[in-house]
Amino acid sequence: MSQKTNQQWGGRFTEPTDAFVARFTASVDFDKRLYKQDIQGSVAHARMLTRVGVLTQAECDDIIRGLGEIRVEIERGEFEWSVALEDVHMNIEAALTQKIGITGKKLHTGRSRNDQVATDIRLYLRDETDLILDEITRLQEGLLALAEREADTVMPGFTHLQTAQPVTFGHHLMAWFEMLSRDYERFVDCRKRINVMPLGAAALAGTTYPIDRHYTAELLQFSSPANNSLDAVSDRDFAIEFCAASSLLLMHMTRMSEELVLWASAQFNFVDLPDRFCTGSSIMPQKKNPDVPELVRGKSGRVYGHLFSLLTLMKSQPLAYNKDNQEDKEPLFDSVDTVKGCLRAFADMVPALQAKKDVMKEAALRGFSTATDLADYLVRKGVAFRDAHEIVGLSVAYGIKSGKDLGQMELQELRQFSDVIESDVFDVLTLEGSVSARDHMGGTAPSQVRKAVDAGRQLLAAR
Ligand code: ARG
């Protein structure tokens, strides 16, 4: 045998790996991102091996010191990653052995890269999920502040994007808040299933060493070791769930984005996005483009894509570990980066939104938004709802012809359609009257918006 085979597993091979295959199968270019968790997991594994008497305390101390130095080198950018060493795990292990000699080779006792990588991703995703939860809360805090400020601001509410009934802007913002509360819960729930420890499963069947998995789990703050070794090395449900929760979050953010884009247009002109969140055009000097919400809307595509990548990756995989699983990382990493980026942009931007109250109010005055209020008024005066609906329909038709909204008509004009209408009708035809009348839990009245904001503050305080 003239050429060297792979140092970590080349024993049974008679020729070295094809140069292209080595590059093709390597993952270090992207999984080096897991270096911190890889070291964290190795330190816990070494401690456990020492506790059960597989390693001596001196060996354990050497391993932990060596890994600590490697971590510093990586963080200083001094570490030399090698594609020949395939992945983050073997790069770090080789460096450790170079540093501390033969003891470095003992670290992998009772362990496989299969349970190691599954552990690393879970540690990584647990940390990232915590950051994401904090960012959702920050965005929600911004929404609460804005909703409180805009509790009395009236705007048109829409169905089919047609003016429907007046609502308060604060109420609209609190609808966004609700969507995000569900997203928060989904990530919290997903975190429970992330936080289970594969270590000890080894390659697939467990190990012959007297390991103490509960101790390792405790050191790494996992809620428990995984129950079944085959499942432990092959399960990626938690990553799929994370991408599903991310997709729903992004879907919600596209809805917010779409509204912001519409509202920032000259046609709506409901809000002013701060200049620092917009860009101009190199050819049209008047332009101020809502790039941030547009980009968030666009970025949903890749996150949905990653969800499908992972579902497809796992489809039909026989137990237990398969090399396919190496493909889980890039979709997951990109989902994490995208979600964090979108949340950060929104959490920074939302508190700086300026509502154009006059324009919103003016828009609510157009489009017969108080038509339902007039119908309810007629019902209160004894008219059956269906008849009331008809009467208001005729009034609206008259309004379209005469160019007047309901609130702008004289009492005589309204009375053409029903003589139960009296001057108190104008209390319900005003925007303020309309929104204030919807004064029950979940309704749009300013007092209810304030209550919802208080409840929201309590919810966030309890997190
Ligand atoms: N780089 C691999 C991955 O990301 C690590 C596990 C490799 N295990 C193996 N038996 N080849 O999944």
Side-chain angles (χ1 to χ4, degrees), residues 27 31 86-87 89 113-114 117 321 323 325-326 329:
S27 53
D31 68 17
E86 240 180 278
D87 54 26
H89 324 293
R113 276 184 295 150
N114 297 351
V117 70
Y321 175 86
K323 184 76 170 180
N325 286 358
Q326 183 166 292
K329 287 166 205 65

